[in-house]
Amino acid sequence: MEIFKTPFSRAYWRCAARDAKKLRMLVFSALMVAACVALGRLPSIYVATGTKISWGFLARALCALVGGPVNALLFGFVEDTVGYFINPDGGYNPFYILTTMLGVFTYALFLYRSEVTVARIFLAKLFTNVQNVFLQSLGTYLWYSAGKGYWVLVGERAVKNAVMLPIQTVMLAALFAALLPTLHRMGFLPDQSARLKLWKRPEREKTPDKGEALPREDP
């Protein structure tokens, strides 16, 4: 199973498109949609006044890790739509759907077919939180009569997401540490993703085989 250093290659996107069509990937994505709906019914954790941590992001990140960025867009649309109609809360806001799709897509860009590290998890969560701050604030500003300016909403969400960032990173790291070996044995992940790493260590220079002459160095 191929692994890529960055998503900036044709081979990466061909692989992502191929995986998105697989039946087992569609079944896994459907299970993650169900998991998001179920996790959405769990009580949230309040960490500060007006700041709470929900659970759905765990299933979204897991689906992005396995399914890739092409599958992530479809998953994000279906998951947010199904979640809304099962548990409607306010109006049907397309900005929230866009935020969900981009969030899962961003998770995939950092985690799919890569060496999964805590550093990558942190960066993926950081970028998704930044998207949440600006897009969800815009959706709230345009769709609801909040009585607040856009940048006031951005400031409030920025504080909340900054508080949640380290907690959500730890939650994702714990989930991945527990599930990566199992997902690898099931054939969903490459060998390099079989376990969680703190960060990617630099590759060592190739050691010459026994009897192979070392290159001469200038004095």
Side-chain angles (χ1 to χ4, degrees):
M1 186 177 287
E2 296 173 272
I3 190 169
F4 302 90
K5 292 183 178 181
T6 72
F8 304 111
S9 69
R10 292 183 179 179
Y12 175 91
W13 292 100
R14 284 197 298 267
C15 185
R18 185 171 61 246
D19 279 352
K21 299 176 183 178
K22 294 180 179 178
L23 177 60
R24 67 197 307 254
M25 198 65 69
L26 295 175
V27 172
F28 183 85
S29 299
L31 290 174
M32 290 299 101
V33 170
C36 283
V37 173
L39 291 171
R41 293 183 173 274
L42 294 178
S44 301
I45 301 175
Y46 283 85
V47 296
T49 303
T51 303
K52 61 181 180 180
I53 298 176
S54 57
W55 303 90
F57 75 96
L58 296 172
R60 294 184 189 111
L62 194 62
C63 188
L65 165 73
V66 173
V70 177
N71 178 75
L73 294 174
L74 176 62
F75 166 83
F77 178 83
V78 173
E79 184 268 315
D80 194 271
T81 303
V82 171
Y84 170 79
F85 284 107
I86 290 178
N87 185 28
D89 183 15
Y92 188 63
N93 192 330
F95 272 90
Y96 293 167
I97 300 173
L98 179 62
T99 302
T100 301
M101 292 173 65
L102 285 178
V104 185
F105 180 78
T106 301
Y107 282 132
L109 292 180
F110 279 94
L111 302 172
Y112 172 72
R113 294 295 183 94
S114 68
E115 290 192 56
V116 184
T117 65
V118 175
R120 278 183 174 269
I121 292 173
F122 173 81
L123 289 174
K125 198 72 204 73
L126 173 63
F127 275 81
T128 55
N129 281 17
V130 170
Q131 292 168 6
N132 290 341
V133 167
F134 290 99
L135 284 180
Q136 287 190 355
S137 297
L138 183 59
T140 301
Y141 176 71
L142 294 177
W143 253 256
Y144 304 107
S145 178
K148 298 179 181 179
Y150 171 69
W151 290 107
V152 173
L153 294 171
V154 167
E156 292 177 351
R157 287 189 182 274
V159 172
K160 294 177 182 179
N161 279 270
V163 171
M164 292 190 294
L165 177 61
I167 301 173
Q168 290 174 322
T169 300
V170 171
M171 292 171 68
L172 280 174
L175 177 70
F176 285 1
L179 295 183
L180 286 180
T182 300
L183 291 171
H184 173 255
R185 287 194 296 270
M186 293 173 66
F188 282 114
L189 300 177
D191 293 340
Q192 293 88 339
S193 301
R195 63 184 180 86
L196 180 67
K197 305 174 184 67
L198 187 59
W199 59 75
K200 184 177 179 180
R201 297 178 180 178
E203 297 180 2
R204 296 181 179 180
E205 294 183 1
K206 181 180 177 182
T207 304
D209 296 333
K210 188 175 181 180
E212 182 181 344
L214 291 170
R216 181 179 177 183
E217 297 181 358
D218 293 332

